[in-house]
Amino acid sequence: MLTEQERQEIEAEVGQYANRRAACIDALKILQRHRGWVSDEGIRDLSCMLGMTPEELDSVATFYNLIFRKPVGRHIVLLCNTISCWIMGYEGIFNHVSGRLGIGFGQTTEDGRFTLLPIPCLGACDRAPAMMIDDELYTDLTPERIDALLSTYRSDGT
Ligand code: FES
């Protein structure tokens, strides 16, 4: 069941559109912001509110790779795997991040701290290789820089 807070935030977004269904991506983002991911129950509740079938809403949710349909870690590591980052050493960077976290793409560390995902170009090609952790962009990645970043996120108390 949606909380009153979630419902109010979603209704505020719905009010921006002529059609309730048009607010579906915003609604999914709101739910994810509150819960960390979007469960089947969340899809059912939202679809009801937006006048969509659960299948329609699920197809939108699964189209966007940043809407999470299963639980994720407290920090989302998004590693760019597009052309400029490839040229600038993506493979080595991926191996380093993956090795340090002990997970591959689509997986979450055992302590629930990190989920590692690929992402298309982050718009920082001139400073490749690049990745995001949560909402922060990190560029000019090297193994040393990655170690320092991961260490910061490991000790951030979350
Ligand atoms: S290709 Fe990686 S930031 Fe553009």
Side-chain angles (χ1 to χ4, degrees):
M1 189 194 302
L2 299 173
T3 66
E4 191 50 39
Q5 177 74 27
E6 289 166 346
R7 191 170 287 280
Q8 279 178 13
E9 289 179 29
I10 292 163
E11 281 298 347
E13 285 302 326
V14 167
Q16 308 287 319
Y17 297 95
N19 180 329
R20 297 182 73 79
R21 302 161 62 102
C24 65
I25 296 170
D26 298 301
L28 287 163
K29 285 186 192 167
I30 289 168
L31 199 62
Q32 181 165 285
R33 192 175 68 242
H34 282 281
R35 304 179 180 192
W37 65 292
V38 179
S39 67
D40 289 346
E41 183 199 353
I43 290 283
R44 278 195 300 273
D45 291 343
L46 276 186
S47 63
C48 195
M49 192 175 175
L50 297 170
M52 303 172 73
T53 67
E55 293 75 21
E56 286 172 329
L57 186 59
D58 189 38
S59 69
V60 173
T62 51
F63 180 78
Y64 291 96
N65 65 346
L66 294 183
I67 298 294
F68 308 128
R69 289 288 281 117
K70 61 180 187 180
V72 291
R74 292 188 290 286
H75 299 295
I76 308 297
V77 179
L78 299 167
L79 186 60
C80 176
N81 63 354
T82 313
I83 186 73
S84 298
C85 287
W86 264 97
I87 291 168
M88 296 304 288
Y90 158 82
E91 246 176 323
I93 293 297
F94 168 76
N95 288 336
H96 191 79
V97 174
S98 177
R100 283 291 191 256
L101 296 179
I103 55 174
F105 279 140
Q107 297 179 327
T108 298
T109 55
E110 269 184 16
D111 62 2
R113 186 170 291 273
F114 297 102
T115 294
L116 179 60
L117 295 171
I119 193 162
C121 182
L122 289 166
C125 308
D126 57 331
R127 301 190 65 194
M131 71 178 183
M132 288 186 79
I133 302 181
D134 303 332
D135 294 328
E136 291 296 322
L137 175 66
Y138 298 104
T139 59
D140 303 305
L141 295 175
T142 61
E144 297 73 25
R145 182 156 160 72
I146 288 166
D147 289 347
L149 287 169
L150 293 180
S151 152
T152 302
Y153 282 89
R154 278 195 175 103
S155 58
D156 66 356
T158 63

